[in-house]
Amino acid sequence: MGDFYNRGGGQLTVSEIAVDTTATLGDGDTEDNMLAFDGNTVDYRIGLDDGTDRLEFGVGTTHGTTTAFVITPEAQISVEDAFATNIGGSFGTFSSSDTTPSVATGNLWKTHASGQTLTTFDDGLTGQTVTVISTAAVVFDCTSTNLKAGSADITTAAGDVTVWTFDGTNWYLIQFMDVSADMSSVGGGGGATNDDSNLILHMQMFA
């Protein structure tokens, strides 16, 4: 096993670690705690920023700078310079009775296999985009909620797809695919060509 060094330059040699041992950094005081990796040209860190109560993963040894991503007290992962999220390589499923399902753990979702009305998505992060695949008759209440998609509610059928983006307050509909529509040309209606300028996707765009 390699040796460990503290910041003062002293050497800490670990000769034995039990399988059930817990290593604790910090003593509960109001202070930052950090595990720093001292590289030849680039340093990295994993540490608790006590000022924000977030666990940071970043470049360098200064909290709050060149941060790649953090784990928040709400058990969410926030990517600082670009947004990315995943649900263990699969999709999430909304429950049948939840009208405001949480999207904290991913960006690809299917509705419950029964009719339901959705009024918003809980636990979103600013800049997050979610894709929702309807598996039944699902109504998106867009007239008096934080779902913004024009002047009327949207009723989807099984197989329809909606895509929403969050600005920190509201979810805005940016794409809606009607699975029953003819999507072989722009705007539907058939007559597709091999022209690359044609989008082989029928989308309704909402400002």
Side-chain angles (χ1 to χ4, degrees):
M1 176 177 290
D3 295 334
F4 293 82
Y5 296 84
N6 63 32
R7 282 194 148 186
Q11 181 176 351
L12 173 65
T13 301
V14 179
S15 59
E16 181 178 346
I17 298 179
V19 174
D20 60 351
T21 294
T22 298
T24 300
L25 294 179
D27 53 10
D29 289 343
T30 304
E31 59 185 5
D32 294 343
N33 293 288
M34 181 188 302
L35 178 62
F37 299 86
D38 188 5
N40 182 36
T41 57
V42 181
D43 299 334
Y44 294 91
R45 73 180 184 281
I46 302 173
L48 170 63
D49 185 344
D50 190 75
T52 61
D53 292 327
R54 308 192 309 174
L55 182 66
E56 290 189 358
F57 294 73
V59 178
T61 57
T62 303
H63 281 315
T65 63
T66 56
T67 304
F69 66 93
V70 301
I71 300 176
T72 71
E74 295 76 30
Q76 291 185 331
I77 294 177
S78 173
V79 180
E80 300 296 280
D81 293 325
F83 181 80
T85 185
N86 188 36
I87 312 174
S90 184
F91 57 84
T93 302
F94 298 154
S95 65
S96 60
S97 59
D98 194 351
T99 61
T100 61
S102 173
V103 293
T105 57
N107 59 4
L108 178 60
W109 297 90
K110 289 187 177 182
T111 62
H112 190 269
S114 62
Q116 60 184 144
T117 297
L118 303 180
T119 60
T120 193
F121 306 114
D122 283 343
D123 306 317
L125 294 176
T126 301
Q128 182 176 359
T129 297
V130 296
T131 299
V132 180
I133 303 172
S134 296
T135 58
V138 175
V139 177
F140 294 90
D141 182 352
C142 306
T143 56
S144 58
T145 69
N146 293 103
L147 298 180
K148 305 301 180 182
S151 59
D153 294 344
I154 296 176
T155 300
T156 60
D160 290 351
V161 179
T162 54
V163 180
W164 306 80
T165 293
F166 190 51
D167 72 348
T169 301
N170 297 314
W171 288 93
Y172 292 91
L173 180 67
I174 58 173
Q175 293 181 11
F176 171 32
M177 186 199 74
D178 182 345
V179 73
S180 67
D182 180 351
M183 297 181 293
S184 60
S185 67
V186 178
T193 70
N194 291 325
D195 187 345
D196 288 340
S197 64
N198 281 341
L199 296 176
I200 311 303
L201 176 65
H202 176 57
M203 298 185 298
Q204 294 181 2
M205 306 300 293
F206 295 82

